[in-house]
Amino acid sequence: NFMNELSGFHELEQQIKGTLNLDHVIITPGNSDEHDWVKQELGKAAVDYLQSIIQSNQTIAVTGGTSMAVVAEMMSPASYAQNSMFVPARGGLGERVENQANTICAEMAKKANGEYRLLYVPDPLSEESYQSIIEEPSVKEILQIIRQADVVMHGIGDAVTMAKRRKASKDVLHKIETGKAVSEAFGYYFNNVGEVIHKVRTVGMQLEDLSKINCVIAVAGGKSKAKAIYSYFKQGKSNVLITDEAAANELIKGF
Ligand code: G3H
């Protein structure tokens, strides 16, 4: 669009779109690793994009993380869409409360004048609890809403950074390191060819559900995340990337 042409990233966006085989790419200036304002610009671009595609009465499923927290911080009401419903994409993944999908989704709804529904499930579940929790009527109802989301917005993290931040057990960390996981998204850990090395057992959207959703938007920037972004898109479940200049310049070099 016109603004992107002006900012001079049009060509870079086209290149990344081709390299990663995406429908749409947006690049904001700078390196998120270095300055907070860069991450805020990224968040603002994500809000603008969401507002440009969202229609009235649609459901938006969101993940946790610091990038998504900034998207929530920048959120404002959309002028053309009413009655938006925000839901967390998946249950707890071991994050601090400010980085949890539930918290982010409630803040987004408040700022967008929308509605929200939350998932009350404890962090990483045992197989036994998982099976009984998904049978709870209140959980079943919200899971239904999540799976029918119109738009999904999520972060992408570096695998080891994410496992440590979420205080993964020694065994899980070992699995992630020996499996050479590079990226993380939705509680799934991927290696450099996009294979799933580990998956956090929790309710909500599963990787395979993403293929049924038309608009899956990844929000991830910073030079340090380029490898992770590249790895995540190897299995290609998202079709839009909102990133920054520093990550984009690394991405076009390939890995
Ligand atoms: O869910 C977390 C994301 O995969 C990455 O988190 O935005 O804090 O880097 P982040």
Side-chain angles (χ1 to χ4, degrees), residues 35-112:
H35 306 285
D36 285 346
W37 65 262
V38 177
K39 218 166 184 173
Q40 282 168 341
E41 285 295 307
L42 194 70
K44 181 71 174 59
V47 169
D48 290 346
Y49 182 73
L50 181 68
Q51 292 181 346
S52 73
I53 56 140
I54 193 84
Q55 291 162 28
S56 290
N57 308 309
Q58 286 194 326
T59 300
I60 304 109
V62 298
T63 68
T66 59
S67 312
M68 289 305 298
V70 176
V71 178
E73 193 189 310
M74 306 309 279
M75 187 61 74
S76 62
S79 33
Y80 299 105
Q82 269 108 47
N83 303 321
S84 299
M85 164 74 85
F86 292 83
V87 292
R90 296 189 84 202
L93 298 174
E95 295 272 18
R96 305 156 62 112
V97 74
E98 61 270 35
N99 291 334
Q100 285 171 15
N102 268 347
T103 312
I104 289 168
C105 132
E107 188 184 343
M108 282 187 180
K110 192 174 157 196
K111 292 198 170 150

Side-chain angles (χ1 to χ4, degrees), residues 113-227:
N113 295 334
E115 296 292 323
Y116 65 88
R117 296 290 304 272
L118 303 180
L119 251 175
Y120 297 104
V121 293
D123 282 354
L125 291 162
S126 68
E127 182 63 38
E128 212 185 345
S129 323
Y130 176 82
Q131 293 305 340
S132 60
I133 274 185
I134 55 173
E135 290 311 320
E136 280 295 322
S138 64
V139 173
K140 263 190 162 165
E141 191 198 337
I142 162 107
L143 290 180
Q144 192 82 13
I145 301 174
I146 292 171
R147 290 214 190 88
Q148 288 167 2
D150 300 286
V151 178
V152 175
M153 198 180 258
H154 68 95
I156 301 172
D158 167 77
V160 175
T161 307
M162 291 311 301
K164 287 185 176 159
R165 188 169 94 190
R166 291 170 178 163
K167 308 219 167 14
S169 70
K170 248 181 149 177
D171 286 355
V172 167
L173 204 56
H174 182 75
K175 193 175 162 194
I176 284 165
E177 282 170 344
T178 53
K180 296 194 172 63
V182 178
S183 61
E184 182 281 339
F186 300 96
Y188 286 78
Y189 291 81
F190 307 91
N191 66 11
N192 68 345
V193 288
E195 291 162 347
V196 176
I197 294 302
H198 174 70
K199 156 187 182 184
V200 180
R201 190 192 291 118
T202 189
V203 299
M205 202 159 269
Q206 309 299 311
L207 203 56
E208 52 276 18
D209 297 324
L210 292 179
S211 4
K212 284 169 255 152
I213 296 165
N214 286 332
C215 188
V216 185
I217 309 160
V219 184
K223 189 176 177 181
S224 65
K225 270 194 191 178
K227 255 200 175 100

